[in-house]
Amino acid sequence: MDFWVTVLCALLASILGGLYFVGAFRKRRPKEPPLDKGFIPWLGYGLDFRKNGAQFLQKMQKKHGDIFTVLIGGYYFTFVTDPHSFGAIVKEARGKLDFTVFAQELVVRVFGYQPTNYDHKLIESSSIKHLKGNGLVVMTQAMMENLQTVMLHGLGSKEENRPWQQDGLFHYSYNIVFRAGYLALFGNEPGEEKAKENDRAHSEDLFGEFRKYDNLFPRLAYAMLPPAEKKEAEQLKRLFWDTLAVKKLYQKNNISGWVSEQDQGLAENGTPEYMRDRFIFLFVGGVSGSDAGRCGGCSGVCEGHQL
């Protein structure tokens, strides 16, 4: 009899421990925003978010207000849907709000890059040098030249019957800014006019591939991709790792010092070449404007902790 009592107690302890692990007993803490865990342990609202992230967040906003916390696939995420609140949040001290741990996990998941303690210092020093003062002047000039390459080709052409091309404002702007930014950072093909044609074609192809990746980005960031889309995301990541490989990068002209200096810093610090390829992919996310906080038109801030 004592044996079965011991077994039942152990089983009960395992069940309670499992429920605690999946957050079944998590309660809203003092001064926290509304907490909504859904009805499914651990998964929470994962299926709803994966089905239609924007619609789900709009639903939660109507239910809880501009700030709320939901359980999605083993993580608690706090979403801030009022853009006027962002300033006050990001100014909070790290003791109250630190994104470091979650950001490191996100970089691994989305870009395949394993960050190190050295990275932050390298990025900070290089950004101060190249994104301020004279460095910013050089970057701006490169951007303007590549905007002309992308936008102004074909003007003055003698072809009188060229058909009109129509496009949505968002897609057109996204296309132009991405392609010009990509060329400004990663350089141009050697040569003259033929090289510019190659730059336009290459950047257009790359933009199409990145749009596919960008559409997967929100669910990828929250680890909620179904198997088929997860496979597609991995294929796209490998495409970008290969396209942006440092061996190919240094065959270009006019590479931004912001990119080359950071890559050289990683090389000097002993970072493997395949990991440097992945680090370069991080810059593409910056060119596109995509980040973990943008998801289906809503901006989210993650608490950065796992259950």
Side-chain angles (χ1 to χ4, degrees), residues 49 53-62 68 79 295 298:
F49 182 83
Q55 189 177 77
F56 165 73
L57 293 179
Q58 290 170 357
K59 176 183 175 182
M60 291 292 106
Q61 184 182 19
K62 290 180 181 179
F68 51 87
F79 288 91
C295 177
C298 297

Side-chain angles (χ1 to χ4, degrees), residues 26-213:
R26 166 82 187 270
K27 300 294 183 182
R28 181 181 179 183
R29 298 161 186 164
K31 297 184 180 181
E32 278 193 340
L35 172 64
D36 197 333
K37 298 182 291 185
F39 299 104
I40 307 176
W42 187 84
L43 186 61
Y45 284 105
L47 297 178
D48 300 74
F49 182 83
R50 187 170 71 179
K51 182 178 180 181
N52 191 320
Q55 189 177 77
F56 165 73
L57 293 179
Q58 290 170 357
K59 176 183 175 182
M60 291 292 106
Q61 184 182 19
K62 290 180 181 179
K63 182 178 179 181
H64 298 297
D66 291 332
I67 304 177
F68 51 87
T69 301
V70 293
L71 174 61
I72 300 177
Y75 287 86
Y76 286 112
F77 292 94
T78 296
F79 288 91
V80 181
T81 58
D82 176 15
H84 298 292
S85 302
F86 295 169
I89 292 173
V90 297
K91 290 179 181 178
E92 284 288 350
R94 284 194 173 185
K96 295 183 178 179
L97 193 65
D98 188 355
F99 298 102
T100 303
V101 175
F102 179 72
Q104 291 175 343
E105 294 179 1
L106 187 67
V107 167
V108 174
R109 185 184 306 143
V110 175
F111 299 103
Y113 177 73
Q114 183 65 56
T116 67
N117 294 331
Y118 172 74
D119 295 349
H120 178 74
K121 182 179 180 180
L122 173 65
I123 293 171
E124 185 177 33
S125 62
S126 180
S127 297
I128 291 174
K129 179 179 178 180
H130 294 282
L131 300 183
K132 290 184 177 182
N134 293 332
L136 182 59
V137 173
V138 174
M139 181 80 77
T140 302
Q141 181 63 33
M143 185 69 179
M144 292 300 297
E145 291 175 357
N146 285 288
L147 280 171
Q148 294 180 48
T149 296
V150 173
M151 294 180 65
L152 303 183
H153 68 282
L155 291 182
S157 173
K158 297 180 180 180
E159 298 178 16
E160 298 180 357
N161 297 320
R162 294 177 61 197
W164 282 93
Q165 297 182 1
Q166 297 184 358
D167 201 353
L169 178 61
F170 172 77
H171 184 272
Y172 175 77
S173 302
Y174 193 177
N175 178 292
I176 294 298
V177 172
F178 176 91
R179 293 167 62 200
Y182 168 77
L183 295 172
L185 289 182
F186 304 113
N188 310 103
E189 291 288 340
E192 296 297 333
E193 192 57 37
K194 183 63 176 178
K196 290 185 177 181
E197 292 180 13
N198 292 336
D199 282 342
R200 285 190 288 267
H202 172 63
S203 61
E204 181 70 49
D205 291 341
L206 200 69
F207 173 73
E209 296 304 311
F210 190 81
R211 282 291 283 156
K212 298 176 185 177
Y213 193 71

Side-chain angles (χ1 to χ4, degrees), residues 264-291:
Q264 291 168 12
L266 291 177
E268 293 171 2
N269 195 50
T271 303
E273 186 173 306
Y274 79 91
M275 195 59 69
R276 289 161 54 202
D277 297 342
R278 300 181 182 193
F279 181 81
I280 298 297
F281 186 23
L282 291 170
F283 288 95
V284 180
V287 170
S288 73
S290 296
D291 55 50

